[in-house]
């Protein structure tokens, strides 16, 4: 899909903030460990992606009731929904100077309650943005790191009012961040995710 760069200043996609806190010691330690055996930034990006996808369970899949939203907390607690995992991946990539944006899809909510926003990232390589979905694989979901063609967890179905948002966000969308911060636990969050941007 054609992505629209929201901010012409690429440094926005390298910035640290309270959510993508890539100056945090745990983020730095994790990125250094992953970078130790990476021959180049592409190899590092794939290693970081696979680490977040495979080593941090999606909290709905695992049944973990904790809600995380800050990248360092996701890494420390090893849990999070798609949005939190995207924040962690963005922090690990930005820690190694790889421009990373946050992206969203509108999907049918698997709880049967209408729609919800799904979070993923886009990385910039060779002058182009490439979306990656680190939500975690499970039966029926086989997301892979790729710069040659998207292999995301989900493909929106327009007839079900699902869609890809083509905007590259430098920071989490306020509605998503508010839902994460306000949730007392993951079951509550799961029923109160934003359904559109």
């Amino acid at each position: 899909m054609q992505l629209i760069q929201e901010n012409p200043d690429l440094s926005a996609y390298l910035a640290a903030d309270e959510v993508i806190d890539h100056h945090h010691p745990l983020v730095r330690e994790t990125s250094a460990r992953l970078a130790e055996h990476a021959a180049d930034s592409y190899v590092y990006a794939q290693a970081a992606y696979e680490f977040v996808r495979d080593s941090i369970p999606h909290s709905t899949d695992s049944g973990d009731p904790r809600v995380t939203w800050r990248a360092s907390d996701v890494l420390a607690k090893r849990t999070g929904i798609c949005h939190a995992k995207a924040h962690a991946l963005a922090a690990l990539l930005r820690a190694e100077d790889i421009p990373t944006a946050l992206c969203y899809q509108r999907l049918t909510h698997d709880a049967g309650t209408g729609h919800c926003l799904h979070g993923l990232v886009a990385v910039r390589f060779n002058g182009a943005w490439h979306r990656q979905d680190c939500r975690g694989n499970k039966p029926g979901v086989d997301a892979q790191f790729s710069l040659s063609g998207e292999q995301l967890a989900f493909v929106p179905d327009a007839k079900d009012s699902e869609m890809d948002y083509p905007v590259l966000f430098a920071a989490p969308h306020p509605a998503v961040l508010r839902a994460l911060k306000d949730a007392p636990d993951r079951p509550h969050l799961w029923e109160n995710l934003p359904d559109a941007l």
Side-chain angles (χ1 to χ4, degrees):
M1 87 170 277
Q2 182 67 35
L3 292 168
I4 300 169
Q5 184 171 332
E6 181 81 343
N7 191 328
D9 181 1
L10 271 182
S11 67
Y13 301 105
L14 293 169
D17 58 28
E18 72 164 339
V19 179
I20 304 172
D21 57 341
H22 63 74
H23 294 310
H24 188 281
L26 179 56
V27 178
R28 287 295 178 179
E29 289 167 19
T30 305
S31 67
R33 188 173 68 251
L34 292 168
E36 190 175 348
H37 302 291
D40 57 33
S41 59
Y42 173 83
V43 173
Y44 172 81
Q46 183 170 2
Y49 167 85
E50 290 175 353
F51 172 78
V52 174
R53 184 194 64 190
D54 300 340
S55 299
I56 301 171
H58 188 290
S59 56
T60 299
D61 294 348
S62 67
D64 194 320
R66 296 174 294 170
V67 175
T68 53
W69 52 269
R70 182 179 285 119
S72 57
D73 289 340
V74 175
L75 295 176
K77 296 178 179 177
R78 293 294 180 100
T79 190
I81 66 165
C82 59
H83 303 287
K85 292 183 67 167
H87 300 164
L89 179 56
L92 290 173
L93 295 171
R94 290 182 185 186
E96 293 296 319
D97 295 322
I98 299 170
T100 307
L102 299 171
C103 301
Y104 300 97
Q105 295 175 318
R106 182 178 195 246
L107 301 172
T108 302
H109 200 310
D110 67 3
T113 56
H115 293 85
C116 66
L117 290 180
H118 174 61
L120 52 157
V121 305
V123 295
R124 189 167 175 86
F125 277 101
N126 303 321
W129 290 97
H130 308 271
R131 291 189 306 165
Q132 314 293 333
D133 192 339
C134 62
R135 128 284 171 254
N137 290 337
K138 62 179 185 174
V141 174
D142 182 27
Q144 301 295 327
F145 184 85
S146 175
L147 301 184
S148 60
E150 292 184 342
Q151 191 167 343
L152 306 178
F154 307 106
V155 177
D157 187 342
K159 73 177 187 297
D160 290 331
S161 299
E162 297 181 344
M163 67 176 290
D164 285 307
Y165 289 98
V167 180
L168 296 163
F169 291 90
H173 190 279
V176 170
L177 189 56
R178 185 169 49 252
L180 290 166
K181 285 183 168 184
D182 290 351
D185 57 32
R186 194 258 316 145
H188 178 274
L189 171 63
W190 203 240
E191 298 298 330
N192 292 280
L193 286 169
D195 67 359
L197 293 183

